[in-house]
Amino acid sequence: MKLFCFAHAGGTAASFGSLIKRVDGCALVPVERSGHGTRLAEPLLESMKDYVQDAIKQMDAALDEPFGLLGHSMGAWQAYEVAAALYRMGLPRPAVLVVSGNTRPRTVPKLDMTEPVSDQAFLESVRGYTSIPVEILHRPELRSVFFEPLRSDFSVLDRYVCCEEIVLECPIISLYGSVDPLTASGDADWSSLTADRCEEYTFVGDHFFFYENEKVPRYLASRLNERESMVC
């Protein structure tokens, strides 16, 4: 199965590099955000809606065969919004949605919308939610490569609200880290967003368990290959 992948805040298509050849039977296709990674020369976008439309343009020519959507952290919300947009637009729909390291989409505005003023205050506020070493983020010559996309993504997340919940017809697989502070509250239930089944699995690890836990690619391969045999 082809699996379009969406990275965490500040992440790039390269974030999935260690997984691309390790999920047997699946073709992982990372979707690069504008202003990130290989598209660094392009502008950063201002909203989740903008990134969703941009993603669909990249995916459009490859929607003629069974596919799934996968997103980690910020990417989980983006993957869901891409699925919802495909439903609304009457385009081919995903066979499965895999969400990792995030709660279900926010349906009310974030209460605290005060952004940290200084770079240092911002970095302190996102400690534990970025895979980029702090010393890299502080290097002026790398600011446009790492820091600016990261801060822009968190600004997009702060403003994001899911305005229309679409109940998907495909199953949702939700993955969690055992000590991930983002999902520790337990308010992560995605089951009401699908008319199919919702499977949950918790792996040992923190917010970046998805990239680091050796069991993740094997689990994905087993679940996704089973799903592909049902839709082909």
Side-chain angles (χ1 to χ4, degrees):
M1 177 183 291
K2 183 178 296 181
L3 197 63
F4 294 103
C5 304
F6 304 89
H8 55 282
T12 69
S15 300
F16 295 96
S18 65
L19 290 172
I20 285 178
K21 295 182 179 180
R22 295 167 58 209
V23 183
D24 294 339
C26 298
L28 272 63
V29 183
V31 179
E32 192 83 275
R33 295 188 188 105
S34 181
H36 297 64
T38 59
R39 301 178 65 192
L40 190 64
E42 299 178 47
L44 293 162
L45 304 183
E46 296 184 355
S47 71
M48 183 68 76
K49 182 178 179 180
D50 291 336
Y51 279 119
V52 166
Q53 294 302 317
D54 180 67
I56 291 175
K57 288 178 183 178
Q58 294 183 67
M59 296 163 51
D60 186 56
L63 298 180
D64 56 349
E65 58 187 72
F67 68 92
L69 302 173
L70 178 154
H72 177 68
S73 194
M74 175 183 181
W77 285 355
Q78 186 178 0
Y80 169 75
E81 289 291 356
V82 167
L86 293 173
Y87 273 56
R88 286 191 291 266
M89 298 167 70
L91 294 174
R93 301 175 174 186
V96 63
L97 172 65
V98 182
V99 292
S100 169
N102 207 342
T103 62
R104 56 177 291 146
R106 184 190 304 126
T107 57
V108 296
K110 186 177 179 182
L111 294 178
D112 181 9
M113 290 291 290
T114 304
E115 293 189 15
V117 176
S118 70
D119 291 351
Q120 185 60 42
F122 167 73
L123 292 175
E124 286 297 324
S125 73
V126 301
R127 186 181 297 276
Y129 298 111
T130 174
S131 60
I132 306 169
V134 173
E135 57 270 21
I136 295 296
L137 292 170
H138 278 300
R139 292 175 61 178
E141 71 274 20
L142 297 177
R143 183 180 178 88
S144 64
V145 179
F146 296 111
F147 182 84
E148 290 176 4
L150 177 68
R151 184 151 193 173
S152 175
D153 283 352
F154 272 93
S155 181
V156 167
L157 288 173
D158 281 345
R159 295 192 302 271
Y160 167 68
V161 176
C162 179
C163 297
E164 181 187 6
E165 288 190 331
I166 299 290
V167 177
L168 308 179
E169 296 176 0
C170 66
I172 294 177
I173 299 173
S174 51
L175 312 179
Y176 306 106
S178 58
V179 290
D180 182 354
L182 187 59
T183 56
S185 66
D187 185 26
D189 184 16
W190 289 77
S191 61
S192 65
L193 295 179
T194 176
D196 204 303
R197 68 185 185 278
C198 182
E199 302 178 20
E200 296 184 357
Y201 195 91
T202 299
F203 295 87
V204 173
D206 58 17
H207 187 59
F208 288 99
F209 74 91
F210 181 81
Y211 304 106
E212 298 168 354
N213 191 304
E214 292 292 326
K215 295 182 178 179
V216 169
R218 294 197 297 271
Y219 178 83
L220 287 175
S222 66
R223 306 309 298 133
L224 296 174
N225 289 326
E226 175 185 308
R227 182 61 188 172
E228 184 174 31
S229 68
M230 295 170 63
V231 299
C232 293

